[in-house]
Amino acid sequence: MGLLALTRRNWITTTALVSSLSGELKQPRILPFRTLHRSPPAFRIPSFSSSRVSSPLAVSSDVLHDAGATAAVLIGAYSLVRGFDNLTRRNLIQQNLSRKLVHILSGLLFTMSWPIFSTSTGARYFASIVPTVNCLRLVINGLSLTKDEGLLKSLTREGKPEELLRGPLYYVLILILSAVIFWRESPVGLISLGMMCGGDGIADIMGRKFGSKRLPYNQEKSWVGSISMFIFGFCVSIGMLYYFSVLGYLELDWVKAVQNVALISLVATVVESLPSAGVVDDNISVPLMYRVLLSR
């Protein structure tokens, strides 16, 4: 009897438990997760598969894009030099003015062409091909391995081939380093090129035209030229920063940016005015000084 009572009691307990569970199963519980109401996620190819399939296509597209951009910029650079060469030959502008306009425009237009290159890591190297080609032209002509009269008239003061191995060569080397090292995301390279192309270039033009009053510590430099370097170097540098920030490559605190550019423009103007042309070329001293100060 005791055993039957125990068995009956266990059966009743088990039956009650099953009934309780079945009652809970009949009344579904609603979980408090909003994800239950969302549509199922879209199917995605696993990472190992996508990297094998889409990556080569993307790389190939970037290479073609950058190759086309490089060709376009090369054609533009060549046309710019040839255009001023023709103006010089026709005596429409003086040789010194032609040289400085090429100095100003070639660097600025090259820098402003950077956004047409792709976002790949190799884009900067494609862009650097443009000044590298010009660098080879300068070396070949500077060593008198060949003679390009148009190049000599556009880029030299006295038409001597060896002049190509000084200022013009340093200029294109700075362009190469700026593209490879700093590229679009760094204000250091942009402002350095702004000061070298805009500030130093326009300072020479204004100084030769209106610079009758010379600096007391350097008779080769004028007050007009130095003031022009500060003003135009500052404006061109700010313009370059604005150009790349509008395109989304830079995010700047503009109050600090303007203050820093003004300070560096002043220091660059002082360095450029020093009697050191025979020791260090302006195309090296100004960008180098600027990058040292910005890296602090």
Side-chain angles (χ1 to χ4, degrees), residues 23-221:
E24 292 182 2
L25 291 174
K26 290 179 181 179
Q27 299 177 356
R29 298 172 61 189
I30 300 176
L31 299 179
F33 296 114
R34 295 182 178 179
T35 54
L36 293 177
H37 300 285
R38 293 178 180 175
S39 59
F43 175 74
R44 294 181 180 177
I45 300 176
S47 59
F48 66 89
S49 175
S50 61
S51 63
R52 292 178 183 176
V53 176
S54 62
S55 180
L57 295 177
V59 171
S60 177
S61 176
D62 288 339
V63 169
L64 292 176
H65 180 118
D66 291 331
T70 302
V73 178
L74 274 172
I75 294 173
Y78 182 80
S79 300
L80 179 70
V81 175
R82 283 301 176 188
F84 280 102
D85 174 35
N86 290 332
L87 293 176
T88 304
R89 286 179 178 178
R90 296 176 182 179
N91 294 322
L92 296 178
I93 59 174
Q94 297 178 352
Q95 183 173 343
N96 285 331
L97 179 59
S98 173
R99 180 178 60 86
K100 275 302 173 180
L101 289 177
V102 171
H103 174 99
I104 296 168
L105 295 176
S106 59
L108 293 181
L109 293 176
F110 169 65
T111 308
M112 294 179 68
S113 73
W114 290 354
I116 72 175
F117 291 85
S118 73
T119 57
S120 68
T121 55
R124 65 181 66 198
Y125 302 107
F126 274 95
S128 67
I129 292 175
V130 178
T132 300
V133 170
N134 290 327
C135 179
L136 294 176
R137 289 182 63 203
L138 293 174
V139 172
I140 292 173
N141 284 272
L143 296 176
S144 298
L145 300 179
T146 185
K147 190 173 183 179
D148 188 337
E149 291 292 344
L151 188 67
L152 292 174
K153 289 182 178 180
S154 300
L155 300 180
T156 62
R157 296 177 185 269
E158 300 176 0
K160 298 179 180 179
E162 56 270 21
E163 292 184 63
L164 297 175
L165 301 178
R166 296 195 289 269
L169 181 61
Y170 304 149
Y171 181 87
V172 295
L173 290 176
I174 293 297
L175 294 181
I176 295 171
L177 294 176
S178 297
V180 173
I181 298 176
F182 297 102
W183 199 220
R184 298 176 289 214
E185 294 80 13
S186 172
V188 177
L190 297 176
I191 303 173
S192 298
L193 292 180
M195 291 298 302
M196 183 182 71
C197 300
D200 183 54
I202 296 177
D204 186 79
I205 295 175
M206 299 297 289
R208 289 178 182 275
K209 186 69 175 178
F210 306 104
S212 58
K213 191 171 183 179
R214 300 292 173 172
L215 296 176
Y217 54 88
N218 187 359
Q219 292 299 308
E220 295 183 358
K221 303 290 183 178

